[in-house]
């Protein structure tokens, strides 16, 4: 029996969420948007994604209200920003269970302290919003030479647009 193309028959909130973010490239696009990637060309080079796939995924994220198109930029909406715990938790899960070293470390700007796997600051004990975080290259980062990777080697505030 062939798999269905959607989850319309499911009575499940997770299934509805997967309709928006469950495709292979989608959370990577959202991750890059948190990192500050805004331009189609930067998503394209950093993700090594086929142009047609990127175009379709960006449009579906705009249609769903996760991103908004502002001139040439794609920007996370408030709805999109609420995906931060999902993106962060999945990355930490991979580090814990798939023997992956952290490629990115997230530091609470107010305290200068790395946040834990649960998104809490070890110093102040609260969950930290993405706009209060700075991204640093971790020990697992590879030395890619695309323009986005080069920018992300230096500390950079999450959600702050990068320009390559």
């Amino acid at each position: 029996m062939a798999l269905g193309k959607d989850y319309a028959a499911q009575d499940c909130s997770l299934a509805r969420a997967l309709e928006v973010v469950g495709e292979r490239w989608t959370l990577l696009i959202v991750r890059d948007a948190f990192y500050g990637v805004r331009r189609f060309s930067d998503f394209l080079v950093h993700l090594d994604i086929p142009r047609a796939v990127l175009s379709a995924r960006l449009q579906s994220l705009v249609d769903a209200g996760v991103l908004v198109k502002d001139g040439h930029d794609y920007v996370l909406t408030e709805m999109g920003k609420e995906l931060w715990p999902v993106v962060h938790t999945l990355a930490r899960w991979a580090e814990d269970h798939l023997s992956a070293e952290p490629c990115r470390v997230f530091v609470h700007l107010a305290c200068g302290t790395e946040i834990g796997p649960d998104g809490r600051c070890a110093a102040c004990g609260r969950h930290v919003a993405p706009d209060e975080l700075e991204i640093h290259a971790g020990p697992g980062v590879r030395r890619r030479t695309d323009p986005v990777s080069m920018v992300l080697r230096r500390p950079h505030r999450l959600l702050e647009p990068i320009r390559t």
Side-chain angles (χ1 to χ4, degrees):
M1 176 186 230
L3 291 175
K5 299 221 184 281
D6 61 32
Y7 303 101
Q10 296 284 326
D11 282 334
C12 175
S13 297
L14 179 59
R16 282 189 281 288
L18 289 174
E19 284 292 316
V20 176
V21 297
E23 189 278 329
R24 172 184 173 170
W25 291 104
T26 304
L27 281 178
L28 295 176
I29 293 168
V30 170
R31 175 208 64 192
D32 274 11
F34 277 108
Y35 290 179
V37 176
R38 297 285 182 268
R39 302 279 171 120
F40 184 92
S41 59
D42 289 337
F43 283 110
L44 190 67
V45 71
H46 191 241
L47 294 172
D48 286 331
I49 184 174
R51 183 177 293 276
V53 173
L54 177 59
S55 182
R57 297 307 171 261
L58 286 169
Q59 188 58 54
S60 70
L61 287 167
V62 168
D63 291 345
V66 174
L67 296 173
V68 64
K69 186 134 193 278
D70 182 14
H72 293 289
D73 290 359
Y74 291 90
V75 181
L76 286 166
T77 62
E78 289 305 312
M79 177 184 174
K81 290 175 187 175
E82 290 177 14
L83 287 168
W84 171 247
V86 175
V87 171
H88 182 255
T89 299
L90 276 172
R92 301 297 77 93
W93 178 84
E95 291 163 11
D96 289 346
H97 300 290
L98 303 176
S99 302
E101 284 190 291
C103 293
R104 307 286 175 211
V105 176
F106 303 97
V107 175
H108 185 200
L109 286 166
C111 301
T113 304
E114 185 178 335
I115 62 169
D118 63 353
R120 288 186 186 274
C121 174
C124 66
R126 67 180 190 86
H127 281 97
V128 182
D131 62 348
E132 300 176 67
L133 292 171
E134 189 172 70
I135 183 175
H136 294 248
V141 75
R142 294 182 295 151
R143 296 296 174 198
R144 292 183 49 178
T145 58
D146 67 87
V148 173
S149 294
M150 298 298 283
V151 170
L152 291 176
R153 286 185 188 168
R154 296 181 303 275
H156 175 78
R157 191 173 187 145
L158 278 189
L159 299 172
E160 185 177 292
I162 62 169
R163 296 292 179 228
T164 58

